[in-house]
Amino acid sequence: MNLPPLHRASALGLLAALGLGGAAGCSSAAGPTPRTAEVRESAPGLSPTPSGTASATPTDAGWVQLMAPMNQQAVKLLTLAAERTSEPRVRAFAVRLRTGHETELGRLRTLLEHMGLPFTNVHAGHDMPGMVTGQDLETARAAEGTAFDRFVLARIGDHLRQSAQVSRSEITAGGRADARRLARALVTAREAFLAELERLPGAVRALG
Protein backbone atom coordinates (compact mmCIF):
# COMPACT_ATOMS: atom_id res chain seq x y z
CA MET A 1 0.00 0.00 0.00
CA ASN A 2 1.47 3.34 -0.98
CA LEU A 3 0.33 5.20 2.11
CA PRO A 4 2.01 7.97 4.17
CA PRO A 5 3.85 6.58 7.24
CA LEU A 6 0.97 7.20 9.64
CA HIS A 7 -1.63 5.54 7.45
CA ARG A 8 0.70 2.70 6.40
CA ALA A 9 1.41 1.77 10.01
CA SER A 10 -2.26 2.04 10.91
CA ALA A 11 -3.56 -0.03 8.00
CA LEU A 12 -0.87 -2.68 8.23
CA GLY A 13 -1.46 -2.91 11.96
CA LEU A 14 -4.87 -4.28 11.09
CA LEU A 15 -4.14 -6.21 7.92
CA ALA A 16 -0.84 -7.76 8.95
CA ALA A 17 -0.42 -7.86 12.71
CA LEU A 18 -3.83 -9.48 13.08
CA GLY A 19 -2.97 -12.03 10.43
CA LEU A 20 -5.90 -11.18 8.18
CA GLY A 21 -3.66 -11.22 5.15
CA GLY A 22 -5.61 -12.21 2.07
CA ALA A 23 -8.94 -11.87 3.80
CA ALA A 24 -8.67 -8.11 4.03
CA GLY A 25 -5.59 -7.06 2.09
CA CYS A 26 -5.45 -4.37 -0.55
CA SER A 27 -3.82 -3.93 -3.90
CA SER A 28 -3.47 -0.92 -6.16
CA ALA A 29 -4.90 -0.60 -9.63
CA ALA A 30 -1.37 -0.78 -11.00
CA GLY A 31 -0.97 -4.34 -9.83
CA PRO A 32 -1.14 -6.59 -6.76
CA THR A 33 0.87 -5.78 -3.69
CA PRO A 34 1.81 -8.15 -0.88
CA ARG A 35 -1.15 -8.91 1.35
CA THR A 36 0.96 -9.49 4.45
CA ALA A 37 3.63 -7.41 6.04
CA GLU A 38 5.25 -7.03 9.41
CA VAL A 39 4.38 -3.96 11.41
CA ARG A 40 7.64 -2.70 12.85
CA GLU A 41 6.37 0.43 14.59
CA SER A 42 3.22 1.74 16.19
CA ALA A 43 1.25 4.46 14.46
CA PRO A 44 2.73 7.85 15.38
CA GLY A 45 0.79 10.99 16.08
CA LEU A 46 -2.29 9.45 17.67
CA SER A 47 -3.90 11.86 20.09
CA PRO A 48 -4.34 11.09 23.81
CA THR A 49 -7.47 9.10 24.58
CA PRO A 50 -10.13 9.87 27.18
CA SER A 51 -9.42 8.88 30.77
CA GLY A 52 -9.85 5.16 31.35
CA THR A 53 -9.38 4.25 27.67
CA ALA A 54 -6.23 2.57 26.38
CA SER A 55 -4.13 4.39 23.82
CA ALA A 56 -4.91 3.58 20.21
CA THR A 57 -2.82 0.81 18.68
CA PRO A 58 -2.08 0.27 14.97
CA THR A 59 -4.87 -2.32 15.06
CA ASP A 60 -7.40 0.23 16.31
CA ALA A 61 -6.31 2.87 13.82
CA GLY A 62 -6.21 0.44 10.92
CA TRP A 63 -9.65 -0.91 11.75
CA VAL A 64 -11.38 2.45 11.97
CA GLN A 65 -9.58 3.76 8.86
CA LEU A 66 -10.87 0.74 6.96
CA MET A 67 -14.39 0.55 8.36
CA ALA A 68 -15.25 4.22 7.75
CA PRO A 69 -14.74 4.09 3.96
CA MET A 70 -16.27 0.60 3.78
CA ASN A 71 -19.44 1.99 5.32
CA GLN A 72 -19.37 5.13 3.18
CA GLN A 73 -19.15 3.11 -0.02
CA ALA A 74 -21.78 0.62 1.08
CA VAL A 75 -24.19 3.49 1.79
CA LYS A 76 -23.87 4.60 -1.84
CA LEU A 77 -24.85 1.15 -3.13
CA LEU A 78 -27.64 0.81 -0.58
CA THR A 79 -29.02 4.17 -1.71
CA LEU A 80 -29.18 2.88 -5.28
CA ALA A 81 -30.92 -0.27 -4.05
CA ALA A 82 -33.50 1.72 -2.11
CA GLU A 83 -34.21 3.86 -5.17
CA ARG A 84 -34.20 1.29 -7.96
CA THR A 85 -35.16 -2.19 -6.82
CA SER A 86 -38.65 -3.35 -7.72
CA GLU A 87 -38.71 -5.89 -4.88
CA PRO A 88 -40.31 -4.38 -1.72
CA ARG A 89 -38.42 -6.66 0.68
CA VAL A 90 -35.06 -5.77 -0.86
CA ARG A 91 -35.95 -2.07 -0.72
CA ALA A 92 -36.93 -2.25 2.95
CA PHE A 93 -33.75 -4.19 3.75
CA ALA A 94 -31.57 -1.64 1.93
CA VAL A 95 -33.20 1.30 3.71
CA ARG A 96 -32.72 -0.21 7.17
CA LEU A 97 -29.15 -1.30 6.46
CA ARG A 98 -28.30 2.14 5.09
CA THR A 99 -29.69 3.76 8.24
CA GLY A 100 -27.61 1.44 10.40
CA HIS A 101 -24.47 2.15 8.40
CA GLU A 102 -25.00 5.90 8.64
CA THR A 103 -25.32 5.61 12.42
CA GLU A 104 -22.12 3.56 12.55
CA LEU A 105 -20.37 6.18 10.44
CA GLY A 106 -21.10 8.79 13.07
CA ARG A 107 -19.47 6.64 15.72
CA LEU A 108 -16.53 5.80 13.47
CA ARG A 109 -15.92 9.50 12.78
CA THR A 110 -15.92 10.16 16.52
CA LEU A 111 -13.27 7.48 16.96
CA LEU A 112 -11.18 8.97 14.16
CA GLU A 113 -11.37 12.34 15.88
CA HIS A 114 -10.35 10.90 19.25
CA MET A 115 -7.40 9.14 17.62
CA GLY A 116 -6.28 12.28 15.81
CA LEU A 117 -6.81 10.69 12.40
CA PRO A 118 -8.26 12.40 9.28
CA PHE A 119 -11.68 11.63 7.81
CA THR A 120 -10.11 10.78 4.44
CA ASN A 121 -10.19 7.39 2.73
CA VAL A 122 -6.60 6.16 3.06
CA HIS A 123 -7.50 3.09 0.99
CA ALA A 124 -8.64 5.03 -2.09
CA GLY A 125 -7.32 3.35 -5.24
CA HIS A 126 -6.76 0.00 -3.53
CA ASP A 127 -8.71 -3.21 -3.95
CA MET A 128 -10.09 -4.03 -0.51
CA PRO A 129 -12.25 -7.17 -0.17
CA GLY A 130 -15.70 -6.13 0.96
CA MET A 131 -15.27 -2.54 -0.25
CA VAL A 132 -17.88 -1.31 -2.74
CA THR A 133 -15.85 0.22 -5.57
CA GLY A 134 -16.58 2.90 -8.11
CA GLN A 135 -16.78 0.16 -10.73
CA ASP A 136 -19.35 -1.67 -8.60
CA LEU A 137 -21.49 1.46 -8.54
CA GLU A 138 -21.22 1.87 -12.30
CA THR A 139 -22.19 -1.78 -12.82
CA ALA A 140 -25.18 -1.37 -10.52
CA ARG A 141 -26.36 1.75 -12.35
CA ALA A 142 -26.18 -0.11 -15.67
CA ALA A 143 -28.10 -3.15 -14.42
CA GLU A 144 -31.88 -3.49 -14.39
CA GLY A 145 -34.56 -5.66 -12.86
CA THR A 146 -33.55 -8.95 -11.28
CA ALA A 147 -29.97 -8.54 -12.54
CA PHE A 148 -29.72 -5.33 -10.51
CA ASP A 149 -31.10 -7.01 -7.38
CA ARG A 150 -28.75 -10.01 -7.70
CA PHE A 151 -25.71 -7.77 -8.13
CA VAL A 152 -26.59 -5.58 -5.16
CA LEU A 153 -27.28 -8.55 -2.90
CA ALA A 154 -24.01 -10.21 -3.88
CA ARG A 155 -21.91 -7.11 -3.23
CA ILE A 156 -23.67 -6.22 0.01
CA GLY A 157 -23.35 -9.81 1.21
CA ASP A 158 -19.61 -9.68 0.57
CA HIS A 159 -19.36 -6.33 2.34
CA LEU A 160 -21.20 -7.62 5.40
CA ARG A 161 -19.06 -10.78 5.66
CA GLN A 162 -15.72 -9.02 5.20
CA SER A 163 -16.47 -6.12 7.53
CA ALA A 164 -17.64 -8.55 10.21
CA GLN A 165 -14.43 -10.58 9.85
CA VAL A 166 -12.22 -7.51 10.19
CA SER A 167 -14.23 -6.30 13.18
CA ARG A 168 -13.87 -9.63 14.97
CA SER A 169 -10.13 -9.15 14.78
CA GLU A 170 -10.46 -5.69 16.34
CA ILE A 171 -12.46 -7.26 19.17
CA THR A 172 -9.70 -9.76 19.95
CA ALA A 173 -6.62 -7.61 19.30
CA GLY A 174 -7.65 -3.96 19.59
CA GLY A 175 -6.35 -1.75 22.37
CA ARG A 176 -9.16 0.78 22.82
CA ALA A 177 -12.23 -0.23 24.78
CA ASP A 178 -14.49 2.13 22.82
CA ALA A 179 -13.27 0.73 19.49
CA ARG A 180 -13.82 -2.84 20.66
CA ARG A 181 -17.32 -1.97 21.84
CA LEU A 182 -18.18 -0.53 18.45
CA ALA A 183 -16.64 -3.53 16.71
CA ARG A 184 -18.80 -5.89 18.79
CA ALA A 185 -21.93 -3.89 17.97
CA LEU A 186 -20.97 -3.91 14.30
CA VAL A 187 -20.44 -7.69 14.23
CA THR A 188 -23.81 -8.27 15.92
CA ALA A 189 -25.53 -6.06 13.35
CA ARG A 190 -23.68 -7.67 10.43
CA GLU A 191 -24.64 -11.18 11.51
CA ALA A 192 -28.31 -10.21 11.84
CA PHE A 193 -28.39 -8.49 8.45
CA LEU A 194 -26.59 -11.38 6.77
CA ALA A 195 -29.15 -13.82 8.11
CA GLU A 196 -31.92 -11.59 6.80
CA LEU A 197 -30.24 -11.05 3.44
CA GLU A 198 -30.03 -14.79 2.86
CA ARG A 199 -33.82 -14.99 3.07
CA LEU A 200 -34.51 -12.21 0.57
CA PRO A 201 -35.93 -12.97 -2.91
CA GLY A 202 -33.08 -13.84 -5.26
CA ALA A 203 -30.50 -14.17 -2.51
CA VAL A 204 -29.76 -17.86 -3.06
CA ARG A 205 -28.84 -17.24 -6.68
CA ALA A 206 -26.99 -14.01 -5.89
CA LEU A 207 -24.88 -15.49 -3.11
CA GLY A 208 -24.15 -18.74 -4.92
Side-chain angles (χ1 to χ4, degrees), residues 36-196:
T36 58
E38 181 180 357
V39 177
R40 304 182 186 280
E41 59 182 0
S42 61
L46 299 184
S47 62
T49 58
S51 176
T53 302
S55 297
T57 66
T59 296
D60 300 318
W63 174 72
V64 72
Q65 285 184 306
L66 177 59
M67 288 309 309
M70 285 186 79
N71 270 30
Q72 287 174 327
Q73 290 299 107
V75 164
K76 295 176 184 178
L77 185 57
L78 290 166
T79 297
L80 284 177
E83 293 172 348
R84 296 189 51 202
T85 182
S86 59
E87 171 52 57
R89 288 176 58 188
V90 174
R91 182 183 303 109
F93 173 84
V95 169
R96 287 188 294 103
L97 183 55
R98 180 181 61 187
T99 299
H101 272 45
E102 290 171 339
T103 299
E104 290 171 359
L105 269 173
R107 298 178 67 182
L108 289 164
R109 290 188 179 110
T110 297
L111 275 177
L112 285 166
E113 182 177 357
H114 287 170
M115 293 181 191
L117 298 172
F119 296 159
T120 56
N121 180 4
V122 301
H123 299 288
H126 298 90
D127 179 16
M128 307 295 294
M131 182 84 74
V132 174
T133 66
Q135 181 60 55
D136 289 334
L137 295 173
E138 290 181 12
T139 299
R141 292 185 185 103
E144 297 180 357
T146 57
F148 171 82
D149 288 355
R150 286 197 302 269
F151 179 79
V152 168
L153 292 176
R155 293 301 297 120
I156 291 301
D158 183 53
H159 161 75
L160 292 172
R161 285 189 297 272
Q162 294 290 345
S163 56
Q165 179 174 342
V166 171
S167 296
R168 290 186 190 100
S169 296
E170 164 63 21
I171 293 169
T172 59
R176 288 180 63 105
D178 52 358
R180 294 197 307 272
R181 282 194 299 271
L182 178 53
R184 282 192 290 269
L186 189 148
V187 169
T188 298
R190 295 294 186 274
E191 290 175 344
F193 275 112
L194 270 171
E196 182 179 352

